Amino acid sequence: MIKKLISEKEINTRIKELSNELYTEYGNEEVVFICTLKGAVFFACELLKKYKGDARLEFLRVSSYSGDKSSGKVELNLSISEKNIKDKHVIILEDIVDTGHTLKFLKGYISDMKPKSLKIVTLLDKKERREVDIEADYSCFEIEDLFVVGYGLDYDQKYRNLPYIGVVK
Ligand code: 5GP
């Protein structure tokens, strides 16, 4: 059974707000949004549909979880071409920041390609779980230490298609 934590309406309202905040920051300058697969895909679609500025979309794929446990070891499964990043404003879109290992790895990987600027935007943030010193620049919702699913997030590849965020009971 899944217990609802954040409704679809709340998520979409917050994403709309965030897209406006980002537009205020970047104006008409081009921004490369990097969606981290697979978890951030619903978030990226919703945010980009609402974003009024000049946006490009790229994808990266990393893995560190198996079931509901983090292996702690981050692997890159789909890379990105440096020419799409160098000298550009870049925003990494994450589904959730937990221990912070994935974000630290991603930030290092993208920074090495010398973007003009780099910011991190996450749908969810589990701040109390952090093991490395890293923070997102923007987060939609801060949540407590719960394993959540839905809105792109899975449990062994299931539940991604739930339109809300919930906790498996
Ligand atoms: P970190 O490296 O920060 O520990 O983990 C980040 C990744 O772990 C996220 O991108 C996500 O794929 C996965 N993850 C962390 N917490 C959760 C959770 O509560 N639910 C799900 N479905 N995935 C999570």
Side-chain angles (χ1 to χ4, degrees):
M1 198 191 98
I2 311 284
K3 186 171 175 285
K4 196 184 280 185
L5 191 66
I6 311 172
S7 73
E8 183 176 18
K9 188 155 178 269
E10 284 173 287
I11 301 168
N12 292 348
T13 304
R14 179 67 190 110
I15 293 178
K16 174 97 176 62
E17 246 172 51
L18 178 69
S19 72
N20 289 336
E21 283 174 49
L22 294 175
Y23 182 58
T24 305
E25 181 165 344
Y26 294 94
N28 291 323
E29 294 211 54
E30 183 187 89
V31 179
V32 181
F33 288 87
I34 303 179
C35 168
T36 54
L37 295 171
K38 299 173 188 172
V41 77
F42 287 38
F43 176 42
C45 289
E46 193 58 32
L47 182 70
L48 265 83
K49 279 191 291 174
K50 300 285 183 299
Y51 187 69
K52 292 196 227 65
D54 187 356
R56 289 188 178 214
L57 178 59
E58 297 289 337
F59 295 95
L60 261 183
R61 185 158 181 202
V62 287
S63 55
S64 67
Y65 258 64
S66 162
D68 64 355
K69 300 275 176 303
S70 174
S71 68
K73 190 169 155 276
V74 184
E75 278 174 31
L76 185 67
N77 309 121
L78 172 68
S79 59
I80 211 161
S81 166
E82 188 173 337
K83 72 175 187 333
N84 296 328
I85 301 297
K86 196 170 183 324
D87 298 327
K88 296 183 190 289
H89 292 297
V90 175
I91 295 180
I92 298 175
L93 299 176
E94 261 285 28
D95 51 356
I96 187 163
V97 187
D98 183 21
T99 62
H101 289 289
T102 307
L103 192 53
K104 189 165 184 217
F105 172 88
L106 286 174
K107 212 172 170 180
Y109 174 68
I110 297 297
S111 296
D112 287 349
M113 296 184 191
K114 307 271 183 291
K116 194 173 188 175
S117 69
L118 177 60
K119 293 240 159 139
I120 313 292
V121 173
T122 186
L123 177 63
L124 302 169
D125 194 351
K126 287 200 262 190
K127 276 191 193 294
E128 66 184 87
R129 290 258 310 156
R130 213 67 99 242
E131 288 173 8
V132 288
D133 186 18
I134 196 154
E135 291 305 331
D137 298 285
Y138 293 91
S139 89
C140 290
F141 302 96
E142 202 178 305
I143 59 166
E144 41 181 312
D145 182 11
L146 297 165
F147 189 82
V148 291
V149 294
Y151 213 85
L153 289 115
D154 73 311
Y155 175 77
D156 268 344
Q157 301 304 323
K158 284 203 298 195
Y159 308 119
R160 287 195 200 276
N161 57 323
L162 293 177
Y164 55 86
I165 290 166
V167 182
V168 187
K169 286 269 157 194

